[in-house]
Amino acid sequence: MNATTRVIATFYEAFGRGDPDTMAKCYHPDVVFSDPIFPELRGVQVMEMWRMLLERSAGIEVVASGLDGDDRCGQAHCAVRYTSRRTGRAMDNEIDAGFRFADGMIIEHKDHFDFWHWSRQALGMPGLLLGWTPSLQRKVQTAAVAGLVTFMGRWPS
């Protein structure tokens, strides 16, 4: 296993343990993160998003596979299962992740998953009926960013 693949493995192992401090050590200070819910987070916003997710999740299980990388980029598949503390809903998400590296750390992290599948679990009937629509995705993105701002207490520059 090369150094970048070890960073990816360390990140997912820490995620599965609910250890945001170790996750943060895998990220470059200038990291950029994106997924269907958070289209662009930067720097400290990224780690605060993970802290928020971990605090709002119970019984988190993370199984990473297909970890691969070279000095510049990497990839992984990740199955994440947890229960939302806010809704009590069981969540099961399959994620394909892409990474770019700088200085031996993750500087770009892009997660791809089926938003409709996620929204059916997270939102129930509205997600089932409207989860495929861009308007619901935008609404979820707006609410997620607002939740992160509240969680952080402020939006860092």
Side-chain angles (χ1 to χ4, degrees):
M1 184 180 297
N2 65 33
T4 54
T5 305
R6 275 195 299 276
V7 170
I8 296 168
T10 298
F11 177 85
Y12 285 119
E13 289 164 4
F15 184 20
R17 289 191 313 271
D19 179 358
D21 295 330
T22 300
M23 292 170 72
K25 291 176 185 173
C26 297
Y27 278 138
H28 191 281
D30 296 326
V31 66
V32 176
F33 174 88
S34 65
D35 74 4
I37 298 169
F38 291 99
E40 185 176 315
L41 299 177
R42 295 181 172 275
V44 70
Q45 299 165 347
V46 177
M47 275 318 305
E48 291 303 304
M49 180 268 307
W50 289 117
R51 287 182 197 285
M52 182 176 73
L53 175 66
L54 289 169
E55 283 187 20
R56 293 180 177 177
S57 303
I60 196 158
E61 296 177 22
V62 178
V63 178
S65 61
L67 282 64
D68 192 23
D70 58 30
D71 291 344
R72 296 176 305 148
C73 60
Q75 63 188 18
H77 179 80
C78 181
V80 181
R81 290 166 185 76
Y82 60 95
T83 300
S84 169
R85 291 184 195 270
R86 296 175 68 199
T87 66
R89 294 180 189 270
M91 303 295 293
D92 183 358
N93 206 9
E94 299 286 329
I95 302 163
D96 289 312
F99 304 93
R100 281 190 327 105
F101 292 87
D103 304 322
M105 295 179 283
I106 299 166
I107 194 158
E108 185 177 349
H109 180 171
K110 291 184 178 184
D111 278 353
H112 303 278
F113 58 84
D114 182 336
F115 181 81
W116 191 19
H117 175 79
W118 176 90
S119 69
R120 288 181 295 203
Q121 297 172 86
L123 306 174
M125 190 58 72
L128 175 64
L129 297 175
L130 300 171
W132 58 273
T133 64
S135 62
L136 182 67
Q137 188 169 3
R138 282 190 302 274
K139 184 176 180 178
V140 167
Q141 289 169 344
T142 300
V145 169
L148 181 58
V149 169
T150 300
F151 180 81
M152 292 177 68
R154 63 179 176 83
W155 191 260
S157 54

